[in-house]
Amino acid sequence: MNRLLMAGKTALVSGGSNGIARAQAELFASEGAKVVIGDIDDVAGEQVAADIRKAGGSALYVHLDVSSERSWVSAVATAMDAFGGLTTLLNTAGIYRMASIDDESPEGFLRMATVNQLGVLLGMKSALPALRASGNGAILNMASAAAVRVYPEQIAYSASKAAVKLMSQTAANENGRFGVRVNSIYPGPVKTGMLKDATREVLDAALSTMPLGRMATPEDIAYGSLYLCSDLAINVTGAELAIDGGLLTR
């Protein structure tokens, strides 16, 4: 088989200037998708889009603050104007910070919820009209192993990702009749800059309990994303794909 899995599709990727989202954007473009990279880092985002175009892909950058509904509406409109439609949303932007219940502040908790939870809701709400109109839309939300397992000093992060889990299932239930599939991915630790705030003890504890004993790369997550957003998964919705080295089996 020699075909491009995302040919004819247009994908909007939040947080696309780095980490998992960048790997998703690059892979989807290499598989034929037109890619809109959304981020708050304009310099890095423009560079990723330029790199994709240099490699022969189709990509543009748009400033996207995932906590702003107006910003989301503008990003979707840009995709529609530039590429004539939108078929795929990757809700990947997120933040991570460690804090125990004793140390967590109301401001810190709400900041985590605003980016990781509200950002996902606003992305889905803003993109759904276009995805429904496409007749074959796909949403992929980034959850976490922390959504379903207890890890120390992650009270706000775990809460935000557990919300993503149930929001994804709700959206899948509500939108199947419109031809829109909604799935989520559950990474364990991934080699990205987000782990700069994780302690060595937490990382070592996670790795020691992984059957595969290795930390994931952004590309590992991107390949799972490609499957769920492509027509190979045309009958898959409401699914939860763990890409965690077996962490959730412990």
Side-chain angles (χ1 to χ4, degrees), residues 34-243:
K34 299 177 178 68
V35 177
V36 178
I37 296 161
D39 206 289
I40 56 174
D41 188 335
D42 297 334
V43 174
E46 291 281 11
Q47 186 60 58
V48 174
D51 289 344
I52 289 174
R53 292 192 297 268
K54 186 176 181 180
S58 181
L60 61 84
Y61 171 76
V62 61
H63 184 87
L64 174 60
D65 174 358
V66 298
S67 68
S68 164
E69 186 170 14
R70 178 179 296 180
S71 188
W72 269 112
V73 170
S74 177
V76 171
T78 297
M80 299 289 287
D81 291 343
F83 297 128
L86 183 66
T87 64
T88 309
L89 171 66
L90 293 101
N91 260 323
T92 308
I95 58 175
Y96 172 83
R97 181 176 53 81
M98 292 187 64
S100 67
I101 295 175
D102 290 332
D103 294 333
E104 187 58 82
S105 66
E107 296 78 13
F109 188 91
L110 288 175
R111 174 61 179 161
M112 192 77 70
T114 297
V115 175
N116 292 359
Q117 180 178 345
L118 179 62
V120 168
L121 171 65
L122 294 178
M124 292 194 293
K125 180 180 178 181
S126 302
L128 271 168
L131 299 178
R132 290 167 179 164
S134 76
N136 184 18
I139 295 173
L140 184 65
N141 295 327
M142 195 59 57
S144 167
V148 291
R149 288 289 187 276
V150 175
Y151 298 100
E153 299 184 31
Q154 297 190 41
I155 183 70
Y157 182 75
S158 294
S160 70
K161 292 301 184 178
V164 170
K165 168 185 170 67
L166 290 180
M167 286 194 298
S168 300
Q169 293 175 335
T170 300
N173 180 271
E174 292 181 358
N175 286 280
R177 63 194 177 99
F178 298 111
V180 178
R181 301 180 297 105
V182 185
N183 296 295
S184 52
I185 282 184
Y186 292 70
V190 183
K191 294 178 182 177
T192 71
M194 283 186 68
L195 287 183
K196 66 182 184 299
D197 293 327
T199 64
R200 187 70 254 171
E201 291 77 13
V202 167
L203 291 177
D204 286 345
L207 287 170
S208 69
T209 58
M210 285 183 189
L212 292 181
R214 66 180 286 274
M215 192 179 299
T217 67
E219 290 72 24
D220 293 332
I221 312 304
Y223 278 111
S225 305
L226 178 64
Y227 164 69
L228 288 173
C229 291
S230 75
D231 288 345
L232 293 178
I234 195 67
N235 203 44
V236 179
T237 195
E240 303 172 339
L241 177 59
I243 308 178

